[in-house]
Amino acid sequence: MAHVRSTFTRRRFIQAAGAGSVALAGVGFSRVSRAQAVKPNIVFILADDLGYADVSCYGQRDYATPNIDRLAIEGLKFTQGYSNSASCSPTRTGLITGRYQMRLPVGLEEPINATTPKGVGLPPSHPTLPSLLKKSGYGTALVGKWHLGFLPDYSPLKSGYDRFFGIFGGAADYFNHGSKSSDPLFEQEVPVDRAGYMTNLLGDRAVQTIEGYARSKEPFLLSLHFTAPHWPWEGPDDEAESKRIKNLFHRDGGTQKTYMAMMQSLDSNIGRVLQALDVHGLSANTIVVFTSDNGGERFSKIWPFTGMKGELLEGGLRIPAIVRWPGRVATGSVSEQVMISMDWMPTLLAVAGTQPDPAYPPDGENLLATLTGRATPHPRKLFWRYYSGGQRAVRDRDWKYLQIAGNEFLFDIVQDPRERANLKDRRKDIFDRLKSDWEAWNSTMLAERTRPAAYGNPGNFMADHYGVTNPK
């Protein structure tokens, strides 16, 4: 069956604290379009480096995430959701284009960083989810992380968004993000000074954006791409830690308690967004999606999987994926449909009553029938490639082919989600077929960019990766 009744109850939901309303200064909402009821609004909430079981409704028991749980209680939870990549820029490329990221040079970066060649970013000419929705009469806003190229050539405003408040790069300090910092906040394409904890600032702006669209009665896409719980490891009360660290990628920081505080702040701000939709009477006509850009990092809970961000093991790829759409998506439902980040683009275009550009056919699949309970789970074949460690992977039905650091595996990923029993000799027929399928798929993608590709989590940094070394 496509859906089964969830075990969640409303007793587990705790309403978030009320959100204050602040007018969105300097940004107009004047475009006149159809009434809200004609086209559904879309709020797409993307967490950063959030592991599969980092939220309560996927198995977290050390703390509660009542607002994210609310979305699952009132909507649908996918149990077999995948990211397009094990790091952020490639997945964001797949998400916004609906295509395998390896079709574009920007998608070869894992992620965009200091070693990325100049001139690499998401081409403004490429159709995107926001640009196609904009053509269909939607207002479009990105609040949060972009990480698909830098000014002057690349920007959210050049790829379909009307409004942008957030960061261009991969991470920023949660407190030190002023206009003169190394990773500043931007208003449109201008660095700005905004005091406060990053997650709260993004929550503030998301609420203000919803208020503006509610006044204009314009259908809208709000892409709310939080930086949490990505490093640096700083909770709302950790400004002293912000002053201590010299490098955002600090190896000597963070604790489970800090991570809990970061996650609870994320959940609280999602609650504020949901409340803003309620207060302005928009909830009934708004589809809300919650997911992550890739698997979890150092302090994430990824049970029952192994691996983490930067690895094509399930822990680096499996992510929460929840969707709420009152009256269209059954409450408390669960889907075992295999899905991936790039599915959201054709799916949300279908929700809005429009289609992808035929010159750029999506690799992702329109899952609208799955969301609305009109389709049962069907087999998928998905492919991955990750330059660090020479990683390759295919999932076909319940089987997964994996190559990492020259070692090859075949897993029954449903019966063995921890990827422990290597069946490559026992089921050589399937192993050979999937490996051949990967080679055929890879021949249709851009070649990997030759460059140094160090492991992100070598043994001298991660004790449980003691066999992983980088060249000196």
Side-chain angles (χ1 to χ4, degrees):
M1 296 179 61
H3 307 129
V4 296
R5 180 61 56 184
S6 170
T7 57
F8 305 128
T9 66
R10 291 186 179 275
R11 286 193 293 265
R12 292 184 58 196
F13 169 66
I14 304 171
Q15 180 64 42
S21 297
V22 181
L24 183 55
V27 180
F29 290 85
S30 59
R31 189 190 306 157
V32 177
S33 63
R34 297 180 181 181
Q36 291 281 1
V38 175
K39 294 181 181 290
N41 308 305
I42 302 168
V43 175
F44 192 94
I45 304 172
L46 188 68
D48 199 349
D49 291 1
L50 181 113
Y52 181 83
D54 276 340
V55 295
S56 308
C57 57
Y58 281 86
Q60 178 58 256
R61 295 293 176 265
D62 295 333
Y63 54 83
T65 53
N67 298 294
I68 297 170
D69 292 353
R70 174 188 171 186
L71 292 174
I73 292 168
E74 297 177 354
L76 179 148
K77 180 180 79 167
F78 286 100
T79 60
Q80 299 196 72
Y82 283 92
S83 59
N84 261 60
S85 177
S87 70
C88 39
S89 294
T91 291
R92 291 163 196 269
T93 302
L95 173 65
I96 201 170
T97 66
R99 311 174 84 208
Y100 278 114
Q101 63 272 15
M102 303 84 165
R103 297 189 183 279
L104 293 166
V106 64
L108 304 181
E109 303 304 306
E110 298 172 342
I112 291 175
N113 56 36
T115 68
T116 297
K118 292 187 181 300
V120 172
L122 179 64
S125 60
H126 198 294
T128 63
L129 174 63
S131 71
L132 293 169
L133 287 175
K134 188 174 179 178
K135 287 182 179 179
S136 187
Y138 276 72
T140 56
L142 172 60
V143 174
K145 178 174 168 177
W146 168 242
H147 209 191
L148 289 175
F150 295 96
L151 293 168
D153 298 322
Y154 308 105
S155 152
L157 304 185
K158 293 176 171 60
S159 288
Y161 287 107
D162 298 320
R163 305 172 184 90
F164 172 57
F165 176 78
I167 64 170
F168 272 88
D173 191 272
Y174 284 83
F175 296 92
N176 179 24
H177 41 62
S179 59
K180 293 183 171 53
S181 69
S182 59
D183 303 283
L185 272 168
F186 279 77
E187 176 87 61
Q188 302 295 76
E189 295 181 350
V190 179
V192 293
D193 293 296
R194 298 287 185 272
Y197 185 66
M198 177 70 79
T199 307
N200 292 337
L201 292 177
L202 298 181
D204 289 345
R205 178 51 60 93
V207 169
Q208 294 162 16
T209 301
I210 289 169
E211 290 173 347
Y213 283 126
R215 289 194 298 272
S216 72
K217 302 190 183 305
E218 178 182 22
F220 64 88
L221 164 69
L222 168 59
S223 297
L224 176 53
H225 295 182
F226 283 103
T227 62
H230 193 291
W231 43 262
W233 314 112
E234 299 165 1
D237 299 323
D238 291 334
E239 191 165 4
E241 177 71 353
S242 168
K243 295 175 181 178
R244 181 191 73 83
I245 63 174
K246 305 300 182 185
N247 185 329
L248 295 185
F249 195 54
H250 55 136
R251 297 288 189 176
D252 64 347
T255 64
Q256 295 301 139
K257 183 178 180 181
T258 300
Y259 194 77
M260 175 180 71
M262 296 171 74
M263 283 299 305
Q264 290 179 324
S265 174
L266 173 66
D267 183 76
S268 177
N269 278 282
I270 290 172
R272 296 177 59 211
V273 169
L274 299 181
Q275 186 179 51
L277 293 173
D278 290 342
V279 166
H280 294 286
L282 301 176
S283 294
N285 194 41
T286 300
I287 183 169
V288 179
V289 175
F290 173 80
T291 188
S292 180
D293 62 347
N294 47 251
E297 250 265 28
R298 271 170 271 175
F299 297 99
S300 289
K301 182 176 181 180
I302 47 83
W303 182 264
F305 311 116
T306 57
M308 60 188 296
K309 176 184 177 180
E311 299 168 350
L312 298 187
L313 290 152
E314 293 292 285
L317 295 172
R318 290 287 278 268
I319 52 175
I322 303 170
V323 57
R324 184 190 77 174
W325 192 10
R328 299 295 299 275
V329 172
T331 60
S333 54
V334 177
S335 176
E336 296 179 357
Q337 175 63 57
V338 174
M339 56 85 63
I340 191 169
S341 306
M342 62 185 176
D343 293 338
W344 289 116
M345 190 261 210
T347 301
L348 294 175
L349 290 179
V351 165
T354 189
Q355 297 178 346
D357 187 322
Y360 298 84
D363 298 305
E365 187 175 296
N366 174 6
L367 295 178
L368 181 56
T370 298
L371 300 186
T372 56
R374 294 182 288 110
T376 56
H378 56 274
R380 298 287 299 275
K381 184 180 291 188
L382 302 174
F383 298 89
W384 293 269
R385 189 181 76 191
Y386 202 76
Y387 190 61
S388 175
Q391 298 180 65
R392 288 90 175 83
V394 183
R395 172 153 180 186
D396 185 10
R397 297 177 182 265
D398 294 350
W399 295 104
K400 180 179 176 182
Y401 163 77
L402 174 67
Q403 179 177 324
I404 184 168
N407 302 304
E408 293 182 301
F409 306 86
L410 177 69
F411 300 114
D412 181 332
I413 210 64
V414 173
Q415 297 299 318
D416 177 27
R418 290 183 64 73
E419 297 172 283
R420 297 304 200 198
N422 188 0
L423 305 177
K424 73 171 185 175
D425 296 324
R426 184 173 164 187
R427 295 305 308 267
K428 189 174 184 303
D429 57 331
I430 297 174
F431 174 83
D432 289 343
R433 175 174 60 82
L434 293 188
K435 184 174 180 179
S436 177
D437 288 348
W438 187 91
E439 295 291 349
W441 166 82
N442 188 54
S443 69
T444 67
M445 299 292 132
L446 295 179
E448 292 174 304
R449 181 171 71 82
T450 302
R451 64 193 187 279
Y455 284 99
N457 299 298
N460 58 326
F461 291 138
M462 299 287 290
D464 63 351
H465 285 51
Y466 53 86
V468 180
T469 60
N470 282 318
K472 293 183 179 180

